[in-house]
Amino acid sequence: MRGVVMHGPGDVRVEDRQVPSIVDPGDAILKVEAACICGSDLWPYRGIDADFPEGGRPMGHEYVGTVVEVGRDVTNVRPGDFVVGSFCLSDNTCEICVDGFQSRCANGGFMGDTQAQYTRVPQADGTLVVVPGGKPEDEDVIASLLAASDVLGTGWFGAVAAQAGPGKTIAVVGDGAVGLSAVLAAKALGAEQVIAFSRHEDRAALAREFGADVVIAERGEEGAATVRELTGGYGAHGVVEAVGNQVSMEQAIASCRPGGHVGYVGVSHGVSLDGQSLFFAEVSLLGGPAPVRRFLPDLIERILAGEINPGKVFTSRLPLEEAGAGYRAMDERKDIKVFLRP
Amino acid sequence: MRGVVMHGPGDVRVEDRQVPSIVDPGDAILKVEAACICGSDLWPYRGIDADFPEGGRPMGHEYVGTVVEVGRDVTNVRPGDFVVGSFCLSDNTCEICVDGFQSRCANGGFMGDTQAQYTRVPQADGTLVVVPGGKPEDEDVIASLLAASDVLGTGWFGAVAAQAGPGKTIAVVGDGAVGLSAVLAAKALGAEQVIAFSRHEDRAALAREFGADVVIAERGEEGAATVRELTGGYGAHGVVEAVGNQVSMEQAIASCRPGGHVGYVGVSHGVSLDGQSLFFAEVSLLGGPAPVRRFLPDLIERILAGEINPGKVFTSRLPLEEAGAGYRAMDERKDIKVFLRP
C-alpha cells in the first residue's frame, strides 16, 4: 500500500509500505476512505518537537474508513462497516472513559499511520463508531465525518469546556481548522453571541459562515479589551483557545470574565502560566487532547442530518500521492486544512 | 478604639485608632464582636509581599459584628443586627455576583481593618448577611460564624470547585485552617472519601474530626502516588489545594484524575504552571479569592443547626490586646488559627 512518511523537517514522502495486520485481538484493520493533514503535523514539519526515527515517521491520525478485518475480541464493529474513530484510542469502559475523558483512557494511546491506504486501529471496540447507513455517497459528507475524527471533535470539546450554551457569549482564539470548528460548535450548542478572532479574510468568512456574529482583528490585550467592550465590560462567558502559545493563552484568559470558562485545545507549546495571575483571573480552565469519542455519536447524527457542515474546513482535496503539496499549502497558510484521498 | 497595626515584618502593635465613620452612603459601621488572624496575614509578617505605608498597616479582614450605624442607601441591614460578612466586598447585583463570583464583583474590593473594636464595611448591602436570632450566646457558635467569614468560606469554595459530592473521593492539600475547612466542606457536601495530607498529629486529628477518612503523610509525587493507590490507580475525583506554592500546586494536580477538578484556594506565591503538563493532565482548574458571600446564608444555617463546627480551627482565643502573641503562635505553627476578642 501507499503511505505518507516524514523523514525530517519539510521532507514528506509517499512510499510503499506494508499493509497492516491484526496484532492484538482488540484490533481492527481499516481501508482508509479519507484522511487529512492536521495542524499538529506541522510542528515536526517545521522542526519543532521533532523526533524522526530510522526509516522516518509515518504520519496521520485522522480517518474514516471501512472495516476489512477485526481481531477475535472485537464485537462492536465488523467487516464492511463504515466507521469514524477518534485520534485517541480508548477502551471506553474504564472510569476515566465513563466520565467522558476517553482521550485519557487508563488503557489508551494515540492513533497513528492514517495517511495511508490501510491502517490498524487498536482498542477498536472503544475507539470506532459505526456510521448508520454505511459509506455516504457524497464526498462532502465524508469530509464532514472525517473532520469529526479530530478537528471538529476538538473544537467541540473546546466549546463544551468553555460551557457554550444559550445566553452565553463565547469567544474563540485561533482561526485554524480547530478554532473555526469551535465557532461552529459554540453556535450549534446554542451560544447567543460568538466572537471570533481573525485577521485573514478567507478564515473570517468561514467563521461567519460557521456562526460567528463578530470577527475581531485585534490580538492580545487589545483583543481582550474589545471582547470586554462587546460584553458590558465583563468579558466573554466562555473562551476557546485553539492555538497553544503564550500570547493566545493569555489572550484567552484575559477575554474571559471572572467565573467564566476557558477551554484550551491548542496543543500547548512553550506556555507558562503565572499562578498569581491565574488565581486573580478566577476563571475555570479545562483543556487537553479532546475526548472526541464522547461526542462522536452526536456529531455523526448532526452531520448526517445536515445540521452542520464541518467539512468546509477542508479548503482543498488531493490524492494521497500529492500529500507533500498539501503539507506545503498548510505550512504556507494557503489552505486551512487538506483532505487526502488514499 | 483599639486596633492592630503592623509596622514591619514581625512588628505587630495594638494601638489607639480613630473610630471609623460612614464615608459612602452604602457603608455600615460594625462593632466588631470577634476577629481573627489569617494565614495570609503571615505573608507580610514574614516580610513576603510586604508593603508598609507610613504609620503602618491596619490588619484583619475576617469579622462578625453588630451594626451600629448605616449609610442612607443601606437597606438590607440595620443597627442592632448581628452580621457576618465576607472578606471580599460585593454589590451582589452585577453579572459576576449574580453568577456567584462575588469575590470578583465588578464594583468590589477587599475588606480590611477588622482586627479592631470597630470597622467600616463598604457595600454593606451586598457584603453582609444578618444572622437570624441575633448574637449567639455561645462563643463557640460565634467562632464558627467568624470562620465562615473567610477560612470556612474559602475551604468551602475549594471543595465546591473540586466538585465534592456523593460518590466522590476528594483529596485536600494543606493542613492549615483553610485545608481543614475544606475537609469539613467536602464531607458536608457528601463526598464518599476524603483524603487529607498532613504530617502534624494535632492537625491530622482535627482533619479526622472534620471528616477525613484517610490522612497521608507523604508529599509531592509520593503523596500523589498514594492517592492513586487509594483510588484504583485513577487519582482523586477532586482535589483542593490550600497552600499556594509550587510543590502544593503540582501535588494537587498530580493527585487528580484526568477529567477531575482541582479547586485551588491557597493564595498563589511564586507558582508557575507549565502549559504542556497542564494540557496533558487534563484536569479542570478553578481557584482564586473565594466568593464567600455565595455560601454565607447556607453556612450560617448549617452552623446554627449545629451540623458543622468550623470554629474548631481556632486553637486559641486571645484578647485583642494580645494580638502580637497570636501572630507569633501562628507564625511558629503552635496555633492553627487565633481568635481575637476586641
Side-chain angles (χ1 to χ4, degrees), chain B residues 266-287:
Chain B
V267 181
S268 191
H269 284 84
V271 175
S272 172
L273 298 175
D274 174 63
Q276 200 158 58
S277 304
L278 203 59
F279 186 84
F280 288 104
E282 203 148 8
V283 298
S284 285
L285 278 190
L286 170 60

Side-chain angles (χ1 to χ4, degrees), chain A residues 95-96 101 103-104 157 234 257-259 264 266 268 271-273 275-276 278-282 284-289, chain B residues 94-96 101 103-104 157 234 257-259 264 266 268 271-273 275-276 278-282 284-289:
Chain A
E95 283 192 26
I96 308 300
F101 284 83
S103 46
R104 288 297 314 278
F157 173 55
Y234 294 115
R257 66 177 60 193
Y264 60 104
S268 190
V271 175
S272 172
L273 298 176
Q276 199 158 60
L278 203 58
F279 185 84
F280 288 104
E282 203 148 11
S284 286
L285 279 189
L286 171 60
Chain B
C94 76
E95 284 192 25
I96 307 300
F101 284 83
S103 45
R104 289 298 314 279
F157 174 54
Y234 293 116
R257 67 179 57 194
Y264 60 106
S268 191
V271 175
S272 172
L273 298 175
Q276 200 158 58
L278 203 59
F279 186 84
F280 288 104
E282 203 148 8
S284 285
L285 278 190
L286 170 60

Side-chain angles (χ1 to χ4, degrees), chain A residues 140-196:
Chain A
D140 290 349
V141 177
I142 292 176
S144 284
L145 292 168
L146 174 63
S149 178
D150 177 352
V151 73
L152 171 64
T154 296
W156 202 271
F157 173 55
V160 167
Q163 303 217 339
K168 300 284 190 72
T169 292
I170 304 296
V172 179
V173 180
D175 62 1
V178 171
L180 293 166
S181 298
V183 167
L184 179 155
K187 209 67 187 181
L189 289 162
E192 186 174 305
Q193 181 176 226
V194 178
I195 301 170

Side-chain angles (χ1 to χ4, degrees), chain A:
Chain A
M1 69 166 190
R2 302 288 285 168
V4 175
V5 179
M6 194 183 290
H7 288 269
D11 182 5
V12 170
R13 305 180 204 164
V14 183
E15 299 177 353
D16 282 323
R17 300 186 55 217
Q18 187 85 32
V19 175
S21 55
I22 299 290
V23 175
D24 291 309
D27 292 351
I29 305 298
L30 305 190
K31 175 175 181 289
V32 179
E33 304 281 4
C36 53
I37 304 168
C38 183
S40 68
D41 295 335
L42 297 180
W43 292 104
Y45 188 83
R46 290 166 177 166
I48 303 164
D49 282 357
D51 168 34
F52 296 97
E54 185 70 30
R57 181 169 164 164
M59 298 298 296
H61 52 266
E62 300 157 286
Y63 57 104
V64 294
T66 301
V67 179
V68 293
E69 191 187 353
V70 297
R72 65 174 186 277
D73 289 352
V74 175
T75 58
N76 293 346
V77 301
R78 50 190 181 185
D81 283 344
F82 182 76
V83 296
V84 188
S86 165
F87 70 100
C88 290
L89 307 171
S90 55
D91 61 20
N92 213 27
T93 57
C94 76
E95 283 192 26
I96 308 300
C97 284
V98 169
D99 286 345
F101 284 83
Q102 291 92 340
S103 46
R104 288 297 314 278
C105 171
N107 303 299
F110 287 98
M111 188 60 193
D113 302 17
T114 65
Q115 291 169 6
Q117 292 180 300
Y118 291 87
T119 195
R120 180 175 73 92
V121 185
Q123 299 272 23
D125 267 350
T127 301
L128 299 173
V129 178
V130 177
V131 176
K135 182 179 170 183
E137 284 180 17
D138 185 346
E139 194 179 63
D140 290 349
V141 177
I142 292 176
S144 284
L145 292 168
L146 174 63
S149 178
D150 177 352
V151 73
L152 171 64
T154 296
W156 202 271
F157 173 55
V160 167
Q163 303 217 339
K168 300 284 190 72
T169 292
I170 304 296
V172 179
V173 180
D175 62 1
V178 171
L180 293 166
S181 298
V183 167
L184 179 155
K187 209 67 187 181
L189 289 162
E192 186 174 305
Q193 181 176 226
V194 178
I195 301 170
F197 290 97
S198 180
R199 45 181 63 180
H200 299 91
E201 199 30 60
D202 55 334
R203 291 162 191 255
L206 190 49
R208 285 190 199 92
E209 191 176 341
F210 277 173
D213 300 286
V214 187
V215 180
I216 295 177
E218 293 85 358
R219 285 186 192 162
E221 178 45 38
E222 206 186 342
T226 308
V227 172
R228 284 193 294 273
E229 272 169 38
L230 289 165
T231 53
Y234 294 115
H237 295 93
V239 183
V240 181
E241 192 287 328
V243 180
N245 65 31
Q246 188 71 27
V247 171
S248 62
M249 198 69 184
E250 287 178 0
Q251 180 176 335
I253 293 168
S255 299
C256 191
R257 66 177 60 193
H261 292 78
V262 174
Y264 60 104
V265 291
V267 181
S268 190
H269 284 83
V271 175
S272 172
L273 298 176
D274 174 61
Q276 199 158 60
S277 305
L278 203 58
F279 185 84
F280 288 104
E282 203 148 11
V283 298
S284 286
L285 279 189
L286 171 60
V292 172
R293 178 65 185 78
R294 188 202 314 177
F295 308 113
L296 273 181
D298 177 41
L299 298 181
I300 291 170
E301 201 175 301
R302 289 177 189 253
I303 289 165
L304 294 182
E307 285 173 31
I308 55 175
N309 294 292
K312 290 191 173 174
V313 294
F314 297 109
T315 47
S316 82
R317 298 180 190 173
L318 299 175
L320 184 69
E321 292 298 327
E322 293 173 32
Y327 274 82
R328 265 197 308 283
M330 279 181 63
D331 179 44
E332 294 165 4
R333 289 180 72 90
K334 286 180 185 159
D335 275 307
I336 297 176
K337 194 168 176 72
V338 173
F339 178 102
L340 298 173
R341 294 188 189 102

Side-chain angles (χ1 to χ4, degrees), chain B residues 9 11 15 17 61 65 115 133 143 145 147 163 186 191-193 242 245 248-249 273 275 293 300 306 316 325 336:
Chain B
D11 182 5
E15 300 177 354
R17 300 185 56 217
H61 53 266
Q115 292 168 6
L145 292 168
Q163 302 215 342
E192 187 174 305
Q193 181 176 226
N245 65 32
S248 61
M249 197 72 185
L273 298 175
R293 180 64 186 79
I300 291 170
S316 82
I336 297 176

